[in-house]
Amino acid sequence: MRTNGYGVEDNIYQSFYIKIQLSNKLLRLKKKLDYFLKIDSKDFNPHISLFYGMKEFDVKNELIMRLTSPPKIIGLDRISIVSIEDDIESWEVLYSYPLIRRKSANMNLGRPV
């Protein structure tokens, strides 16, 4: 997947993240997931969360200025559908779809599932 810099929001689950560039393949996958899950979601913000919680925008923007840019391309080994409850410890992976057959030590970005 191609990245598109860092993103910040005033949202506990999208507080600080790496933005993922939209592509036709990703949009097709999203439509298939929506159909499978029988949902009609309009908002789609593909991202990799780096921080959950509430912090001021000034703090997050300062962090962006201090960090190097994220890698331009990120390889993922799976896509997972997760049931999200109150806190991270209660999240449950409902289904994982493998994207590659063999993992390498370099493919370890993001929250382990």
Side-chain angles (χ1 to χ4, degrees), residues 21 53 90:
Q21 203 171 78
S90 68

Side-chain angles (χ1 to χ4, degrees), residues 4-108:
N4 199 17
Y6 295 106
V8 297
E9 292 184 30
D10 192 21
N11 178 328
I12 194 167
Y13 297 116
Q14 294 177 358
S15 185
F16 185 77
Y17 55 89
I18 296 173
K19 296 187 279 186
I20 300 297
Q21 203 171 78
L22 282 175
S23 68
N24 288 332
K25 283 183 177 183
L26 190 56
L27 288 171
R28 282 194 303 272
L29 176 61
K30 173 68 170 125
K31 285 182 183 182
K32 286 180 183 181
L33 286 172
D34 286 353
Y35 177 78
F36 176 77
L37 296 170
K38 296 176 178 56
I39 59 174
D40 185 25
S41 61
K42 302 292 182 212
D43 296 327
F44 183 43
N45 178 18
H47 67 279
I48 299 172
S49 290
L50 300 176
F51 170 76
Y52 296 122
M54 300 302 290
K55 288 284 184 189
E56 297 79 22
F57 280 107
D58 292 346
V59 172
K60 293 185 266 190
N61 288 327
E62 176 70 23
L63 183 58
I64 289 173
M65 291 184 353
R66 291 176 182 250
L67 291 174
T68 59
S69 297
K72 292 291 183 199
I73 296 178
I74 295 176
L76 302 176
D77 67 344
R78 78 190 82 158
I79 292 177
S80 298
I81 298 170
V82 179
S83 173
I84 300 172
E85 296 295 332
D86 295 327
D87 56 6
I88 291 175
E89 289 77 24
S90 68
W91 291 13
E92 179 184 0
V93 176
L94 301 175
Y95 179 78
S96 281
Y97 179 78
L99 298 174
I100 61 172
R101 292 186 191 272
R102 295 177 57 203
K103 296 181 197 179
S104 74
N106 294 334
M107 300 182 81
N108 203 14

